[in-house]
Amino acid sequence: MRLSRFHLNTSKETPADAEIVSHQLMLRAGMIRKLAAGLYTWSPLGLRVLRKVEAVVREEMNRAGAIEMLMPSIQPRELWEETGRWQKFGGQLLKIRDRKDAEFCYGPTHEEVITDFARNELRSYRQLPLNFYQIQTKFRDEIRPRFGVMRAREFLMKDAYSFHLDAESLAQTYQAMYDAYSRIFSRLGLKFRAVAADTGAIGGSASHEFHVLADSGEDAIVFSDGSDYAANVEMAEAVAPGPRPAAAEELREVATPTQKTCEDVAALLGLPLQRTLKSVAVVGEQGFVLALVRGDHAVNEIKLAKLTGLVEFRMATEAEIVEHLGCEPGFIGPRQPAKSITVIADRSAAALADFVIGANRAGFHLAGVNWGRDLPEPDLVADIRNAVEGDPSPDGKGTLRMARGIEVGHVFQLGSKYAEALGATVLDAEGKARVMQMGCYGIGVSRIVAAAIEQNFDANGIVWPAPMAPWQVAVCIINPKDDPAVVAAAAQLHEELVAAGHEAVLDDRGLRPGVMFGDIELIGIPHRVVVSPRGLEAGTFEYRGRRDSESRNLTRAEVDAALAC
């Protein structure tokens, strides 16, 4: 490949609307171009990288026994009505009508379509297990598309769906997919973690997310420093502390005329923040609920929604708070409410003694509060907070540490949710109809490209892991006097490298060295070999690895050795 015959359009300027590094560098390198909000054209350069990722994903899926197919991106409303997701999926579902006024959606995922395929194709347990996958464009109408292809509306995804007679078979394929994903991200040269996760809108009984670790990651993940335990912050268990201390203070009312937050109250009273109690008012299916956590903790809405009566909770309005607690927000607490309420305390909140709560009177809080003496015991004690760094690991090994991650893969044990809704059954060994068990396994192929950049860049541009680089080596020509011998030597070197199995590109654009090298570094090619009149005379080539701080003059044999590293 000669760059003079390739479309490469780089820029020195950082686009004003690009907020994160991957978006900035993908635009500067000319990998993508914005068409509309959340919609991007992949240039020939960007597509080379995208196809590298896609190839690794396909190879490992095939190795794991999955079978590739391709499903329509446009899906009929009727299928989504059968599962109840036409309305439940929300605003991300792009709904369209055809000329006959029939309703469709642009597929954000394919559970309905694959299950419809299976219910029409599979008849006997002898056909199971089966695992189908596709690599295809998806569309989700993000309310705020941002960060380039990291959170685009249109994206390339690998989605797989497995079918089983029983949960044991599902668990085996789930593990096979977990292992395949681990191989994919390892082969791509990425630092990643697999973490226990919530099943969310997809549903199911078990789930793991795969996160590329990066400081810019939107997701908080926790992991043990003493074991392989890892989970996202929504799922990480916050273990119960030790026994509750005995009361040592008397109950007293303290004036807090303008202090409405736990932080401000603790500062006024000179107390640690963890001795305050935060009251969060919500309304669930069974009425008004006060959720309590320590002042230094945050309520985990995912955990809260798993409790009976709070599956579809919402935050209470100010009017509802006044009605039930007799006070405006900022001074509320669980003591002597105006109306009957349900009190749910986090494990750490239930273990407090001599703590501070709102007095349910504007401008006042109560200090020296103790459970049993000053407050009734909570109606329910549960894990309803986010785990934080320093918490004990739930497996009893080590303490929890925090990291930021970019979710690039997700595996689910769906169970019978979709198969039951769509009537997908097979006959078992006894001739009885059995609803199939399903698994679902997704990888954001285009998102991996951006995530890799967030993990691998420097001041000069992208630093691709070798398996993802558009080319492995760039042969650059410095030839200010247009010496034919230099051109011939560079072309020969390029041909030899290609013949030896290297993905090599010849930069024959005739640019000044600084501009040419800047482009090669920006687009992240791992190796650079320069052919120049001076080097040709000395019988050497100037070599520099993308991560190297300086160039080296190498013989032809030494170039081969450097490229083999």
Side-chain angles (χ1 to χ4, degrees):
M1 174 67 68
R2 291 173 176 262
L3 279 184
S4 62
R5 300 174 187 172
F6 187 81
H7 178 75
L8 181 64
N9 185 14
T10 62
S11 171
K12 292 183 179 180
E13 302 300 322
T14 300
D17 62 342
E19 301 175 67
I20 60 173
V21 168
S22 60
H23 192 191
Q24 295 168 0
L25 291 179
M26 290 181 79
L27 288 171
R28 285 190 55 211
M31 293 178 63
I32 56 172
R33 289 293 182 253
K34 182 177 177 179
L35 178 65
L39 303 177
Y40 289 88
T41 296
W42 288 77
S43 75
L45 178 71
L47 188 62
R48 286 186 68 89
V49 178
L50 192 66
R51 292 292 184 246
K52 293 286 190 72
V53 176
E54 185 179 327
V56 172
V57 170
R58 180 174 281 109
E59 288 170 12
E60 291 299 337
M61 291 300 294
N62 293 342
R63 175 182 172 186
I67 307 167
E68 188 169 9
M69 64 183 300
L70 187 62
M71 291 174 274
S73 58
I74 304 299
Q75 307 176 19
R77 171 177 178 163
E78 290 77 12
L79 271 182
W80 284 71
E81 291 282 14
E82 287 189 68
T83 61
R85 292 208 296 175
W86 184 256
Q87 298 298 335
K88 286 185 179 179
F89 205 88
Q92 285 191 331
L93 191 64
L94 179 63
K95 300 174 181 179
I96 55 181
R97 293 176 183 267
D98 68 8
R99 67 178 64 196
K100 297 179 181 179
D101 212 32
E103 290 189 89
F104 296 83
C105 67
Y106 194 123
T109 184
H110 276 70
E111 285 82 13
E112 281 81 2
V113 177
I114 192 64
T115 309
D116 177 68
F117 177 83
R119 70 179 172 182
N120 290 306
E121 295 284 326
L122 306 181
R123 295 287 180 264
S124 169
Y125 74 98
R126 289 188 175 90
Q127 295 172 272
L128 304 179
L130 280 173
N131 188 5
F132 301 107
Y133 81 95
Q134 64 174 349
I135 300 176
Q136 191 216 51
T137 298
K138 299 284 192 293
F139 188 95
R140 296 180 185 174
D141 199 3
E142 294 276 356
I143 191 170
R144 189 189 168 201
R146 53 183 179 156
F147 304 154
V149 300
M150 187 75 77
R151 190 171 290 280
R153 294 193 294 168
E154 184 181 85
F155 53 94
L156 187 65
M157 181 179 179
K158 186 284 301 175
D159 48 324
Y161 308 90
S162 62
F163 294 87
H164 312 266
L165 187 65
D166 53 41
E168 182 180 357
S169 174
L170 169 58
Q172 291 172 353
T173 297
Y174 184 87
Q175 185 62 51
M177 287 293 95
Y178 183 101
D179 295 341
Y181 278 33
S182 297
R183 292 194 299 270
I184 287 168
F185 299 121
S186 295
R187 282 186 58 185
L188 291 174
L190 300 173
K191 298 175 184 177
F192 71 97
R193 276 190 179 272
V195 301
D198 183 66
T199 56
I202 299 295
S205 59
S207 171
H208 283 84
E209 293 172 352
F210 287 78
H211 288 263
V212 169
L213 302 181
D215 292 340
S216 60
E218 289 186 281
D219 299 311
I221 62 176
V222 297
F223 60 93
S224 172
D225 61 6
S227 71
D228 60 359
Y229 174 83
N232 66 22
V233 73
E234 289 85 4
M235 283 291 290
E237 181 184 2
V239 300
R244 181 191 298 166
E249 297 181 6
E250 294 298 319
L251 178 68
R252 61 192 186 278
E253 188 176 68
V254 293
T256 53
T258 60
Q259 289 75 22
K260 294 186 176 183
T261 68
C262 290
E263 290 81 1
D264 289 344
V265 171
L268 177 69
L269 301 181
L271 296 173
L273 185 58
Q274 56 264 38
R275 282 185 56 191
T276 64
L277 202 62
K278 185 184 301 180
S279 299
V280 179
V282 301
V283 177
E285 297 93 310
Q286 299 175 10
F288 191 93
V289 175
L290 207 56
L292 307 177
V293 295
R294 266 180 15 192
D296 59 331
H297 291 156
V299 171
N300 184 313
E301 295 186 9
I302 300 295
K303 292 180 180 179
L304 198 60
K306 293 182 182 294
L307 302 179
T308 301
L310 290 172
V311 174
E312 295 184 357
F313 80 87
R314 60 173 174 80
M315 304 305 294
T317 66
E318 183 169 345
E320 288 170 328
I321 291 172
V322 172
E323 176 188 355
H324 286 84
L325 300 176
C327 181
E328 66 185 69
F331 305 98
I332 63 174
R335 190 167 188 261
Q336 298 177 343
K339 291 179 65 174
S340 177
I341 65 172
T342 298
V343 175
I344 300 176
D346 179 68
R347 294 164 173 173
S348 296
L352 285 176
D354 302 325
F355 53 92
V356 177
I357 63 171
N360 285 335
R361 188 158 75 97
F364 291 91
H365 280 73
L366 297 174
V369 180
N370 283 273
W371 294 107
R373 186 192 72 183
D374 310 310
L375 291 176
E377 294 290 342
D379 297 298
L380 176 67
V381 176
D383 174 20
I384 61 169
R385 71 171 174 91
N386 288 336
V388 296
E389 184 149 347
D391 280 347
S393 178
D395 62 2
K397 302 175 182 178
T399 57
L400 294 182
R401 296 289 179 258
M402 305 288 292
R404 305 300 301 182
I406 300 167
E407 183 189 343
V408 290
H410 208 155
V411 292
F412 302 86
Q413 289 189 39
L414 293 176
S416 62
K417 175 179 177 179
Y418 295 94
E420 188 168 351
L422 290 163
T425 63
V426 293
L427 297 179
D428 64 14
E430 299 176 352
K432 295 180 180 179
R434 293 266 297 274
V435 175
M436 287 182 281
Q437 301 289 305
M438 289 177 60
C440 171
Y441 321 97
I443 282 183
V445 178
S446 51
R447 201 166 203 240
I448 287 174
V449 176
I453 295 172
E454 292 294 328
Q455 193 180 83
N456 299 275
F457 69 93
D458 61 17
N460 296 321
I462 303 167
V463 186
W464 289 116
M468 295 179 63
W471 296 280
Q472 295 303 306
V473 53
V475 177
C476 300
I477 304 175
I478 297 179
N479 192 16
K481 297 182 179 180
D482 296 324
D483 186 342
V486 175
V487 174
Q492 180 180 347
L493 176 60
H494 174 253
E495 291 173 3
E496 290 174 355
L497 293 177
V498 171
H502 298 290
E503 282 188 303
V505 63
L506 178 63
D507 195 342
D508 59 344
R509 294 175 295 167
L511 301 178
R512 298 190 309 275
V515 176
M516 177 168 48
F517 296 162
D519 277 354
I520 299 304
E521 290 185 331
L522 174 61
I523 66 178
I525 298 178
H527 306 279
R528 184 182 81 202
V529 181
V530 177
V531 181
S532 66
R534 181 181 300 177
L536 195 61
E537 183 178 346
T540 61
F541 302 90
E542 182 183 290
Y543 168 83
R544 185 168 181 173
R546 181 60 182 83
R547 298 180 184 273
D548 294 345
S549 58
E550 296 181 355
S551 300
R552 294 177 285 157
N553 291 320
L554 304 180
T555 65
R556 179 67 182 82
E558 290 171 336
V559 167
D560 286 338
L563 296 181
C565 295

